[in-house]
Amino acid sequence: QRHHVEQQHVPPPPGEDAPPLPRRTDFFISYTSRDQEWAEWIAWKLQEADYLPILQAWDFRPGHNFVDLMHKAIEEAKRIILVLSGAYLTSAFATAEWQAVFAKDPTGQHGLLLPVRVEDVEPPGLLRGRIYIDLVGVLDEDTAVATLLEGVRPPGPPPVPPKFPGLVAEPAMPPPFPTTSRTDGSHADA
């Protein structure tokens, strides 16, 4: 579950809203508690790349209205990252989060839903048609970071030019190692 059932979410007194979320929110990261380590790693790497993520574990503090904060995060974020795992795909709370954004961009034309696959699961139903960032099987962090950042960058040319695809001259073969005997059996110095 996304939050403890025993928590009661009492609305703030009249005229007082939940604390404001940062104005420029690039990503809201939607995840289940089982995938919190992945969510925090993704958020950290996005911050290092000058993106501004909203993460429940970091930004939803005790004493504030959980439902209001969740609503603001989903509404104000430019895009939503889904930490895609078996637990995520069976969570009613996670489903409600991605479906709220899906309704704004049902065709995927604006790329508002950005699944990041962290377990070997196939996105079902309406998520099946979305291209995802795949971190499954990536064993080193540098490759995972590069994959994540390449996946979140806007459409268009990459930030660095591609390598020239023309022919590269093959290195010249060194001459064979000289031997002291000839093929006819005589010696070279004879």
Side-chain angles (χ1 to χ4, degrees):
Q1 284 187 333
R2 299 281 305 178
H3 64 304
H4 299 290
V5 175
E6 66 271 10
Q7 288 181 343
Q8 290 187 351
H9 298 289
V10 179
E16 291 182 33
D17 291 324
L21 294 170
R23 279 189 215 136
R24 186 184 71 86
T25 304
D26 296 306
F27 299 101
F28 169 65
I29 301 177
S30 174
Y31 64 98
T32 65
S33 59
R34 196 181 92 190
D35 300 315
Q36 184 170 333
E37 286 183 354
W38 272 113
E40 289 189 37
W41 179 86
I42 290 168
W44 193 268
K45 295 305 172 184
L46 291 173
Q47 275 190 159
E48 287 182 339
D50 294 326
Y51 290 105
L52 184 59
I54 293 292
L55 186 69
Q56 177 186 337
W58 297 351
D59 300 303
F60 293 20
R61 305 311 308 151
H64 296 287
N65 184 328
F66 175 84
V67 175
D68 188 45
L69 286 171
M70 186 63 68
H71 174 74
K72 284 181 178 180
I74 290 172
E75 288 297 311
E76 295 175 12
K78 292 177 187 171
R79 299 165 82 189
I80 181 173
I81 287 180
L82 320 178
V83 181
L84 213 52
S85 69
Y88 190 87
L89 294 175
T90 59
S91 167
F93 290 111
T95 299
E97 291 168 15
W98 73 258
Q99 284 179 346
V101 176
F102 183 91
K104 295 180 194 176
D105 186 22
T107 64
Q109 178 180 355
H110 303 291
L112 300 182
L113 279 180
L114 187 55
V116 177
R117 201 171 76 127
V118 298
E119 280 184 10
D120 191 12
V121 295
E122 283 301 315
L126 296 173
L127 286 176
R128 185 172 291 132
R130 300 296 165 112
I131 298 169
Y132 52 80
I133 297 169
D134 199 358
L135 298 182
V136 174
V138 178
L139 300 178
D140 70 283
E141 188 170 13
D142 290 342
T143 302
V145 170
T147 301
L148 175 67
L149 296 180
E150 174 60 24
V152 301
R153 80 171 175 77
V160 295
K163 289 200 255 182
F164 176 67
L167 293 176
V168 176
E170 292 186 28
M173 294 298 294
F177 184 75
T179 61
T180 56
S181 62
R182 295 185 167 170
T183 56
D184 66 357
S186 62
H187 290 289
D189 50 12

